Amino acid sequence: GLHVDLSIFGCSDSDGEDMYSLDGEEKWFADFINHRGVEPQPSFIDHISYVEGTYDNAVANQQICRSNLKNSLEAMKDIPLEN
């Protein structure tokens, strides 16, 4: 059968998200408050682990995202809300 594999990534000035799921169940997410990756999988399944460095990648991607957000906000500051 078919499966739904989803990755969510985004940021704001003060928050961020990086998460992977399969068929609606979280497989991994970045816990930026506690500085670690979390694999919230139940004990009755074969555990799916992510490679070492996945959390570090998430942190680096947040920095890039915030830089891109800052650049976009700066570039759009003089554009009127309505035409």
Side-chain angles (χ1 to χ4, degrees), residues 25 40-48:
E25 299 291 331
Q41 301 163 33
S43 60
F44 58 84
I45 68 166
D46 290 334
H47 190 80
I48 301 167

Side-chain angles (χ1 to χ4, degrees), residues 25-80:
E25 299 291 331
E26 280 185 324
K27 296 187 300 182
W28 186 92
F29 69 90
D31 180 351
F32 295 117
I33 293 171
N34 294 307
H35 308 285
R36 65 188 182 99
V38 178
E39 298 174 336
Q41 301 163 33
S43 60
F44 58 84
I45 68 166
D46 290 334
H47 190 80
I48 301 167
S49 291
Y50 281 76
V51 297
E52 188 174 327
T54 302
Y55 177 77
D56 294 330
N57 262 353
V59 170
N61 286 336
Q62 286 296 304
Q63 293 171 345
I64 294 167
C65 185
R66 287 199 177 94
S67 176
N68 289 340
L69 178 62
K70 180 182 174 186
N71 291 339
S72 295
L73 291 173
E74 181 68 27
M76 295 176 15
K77 72 178 182 181
D78 295 325
I79 297 175

